[in-house]
């Protein structure tokens, strides 16, 4: 990759990267973020999970985020999550952490509650 150096009016040098001809002709590679998002979209646990009484609704989004509603309070909790095997870890945007276990493809135990996949 070549660099072009430009002297700005304030006297500072500005370095701009210029791709080589070979790099311009190369197909773009997928970023790590888009690869992770694609694998999450294909993950079997992505979707809406609901307690038996419908009071708590937790949506596991394909981008590794979750959005949880409680009663009439939409987006009561939001944050990121990671699934390893049948274990899920949550990191809420407010700073607390939690975890849970997928008993099977349609049942999640989390925070003393039992969630079922919404079909």
């Amino acid at each position: 990759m070549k660099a072009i150096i430009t002297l700005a009016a304030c006297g500072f040098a500005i370095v701009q990267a210029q791709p080589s001809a070979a790099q311009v002709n190369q197909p773009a590679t997928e970023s790590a973020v888009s690869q992770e998002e694609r694998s999450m979209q294909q993950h079997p646990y992505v979707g809406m999970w609901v307690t038996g009484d419908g009071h708590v609704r937790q949506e596991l989004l394909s981008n590794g985020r979750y959005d949880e509603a409680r009663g009439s309070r939409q987006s009561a909790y939001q944050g990121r999550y990671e699934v390893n095997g049948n274990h899920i870890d949550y990191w809420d945007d407010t700073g607390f952490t939690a975890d849970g276990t997928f008993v099977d493809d349609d049942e999640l135990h989390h925070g003393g509650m039992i969630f079922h996949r919404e079909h």
Side-chain angles (χ1 to χ4, degrees):
M1 186 170 289
K2 297 179 183 177
I4 297 177
I5 301 175
T6 307
L7 189 59
C10 60
F12 292 103
I14 299 172
V15 178
Q16 298 173 313
Q18 292 288 333
S20 68
Q23 289 169 321
V24 169
N25 294 327
Q26 278 184 341
T29 58
E30 228 180 340
S31 70
V33 172
S34 62
Q35 286 175 0
E36 182 178 331
E37 186 170 328
R38 188 180 69 207
S39 72
M40 290 303 294
Q41 288 171 346
Q42 297 169 353
H43 201 284
Y45 300 132
V46 167
M48 185 66 74
W49 295 83
V50 184
T51 56
D53 61 4
H55 183 72
V56 181
R57 299 175 55 80
Q58 183 181 92
E59 185 173 12
L60 300 179
L61 304 168
S62 62
N63 62 359
R65 304 272 305 161
Y66 71 90
D67 190 326
E68 184 175 298
R70 296 216 172 198
S72 62
R73 194 170 151 212
Q74 295 299 315
S75 299
Y77 298 100
Q78 295 177 315
R80 68 181 182 88
Y81 73 92
E82 286 182 12
V83 175
N84 292 306
N86 70 335
H87 183 84
I88 184 169
D89 287 300
Y90 300 89
W91 292 271
D92 190 81
D93 291 344
T94 63
F96 73 84
T97 61
D99 66 348
T101 303
F102 292 96
V103 176
D104 58 36
D105 288 348
D106 291 316
E107 188 173 313
L108 166 63
H109 293 193
H110 160 64
M113 296 175 279
I114 298 174
F115 292 79
H116 294 279
R117 178 187 297 281
E118 185 176 78
H119 292 280

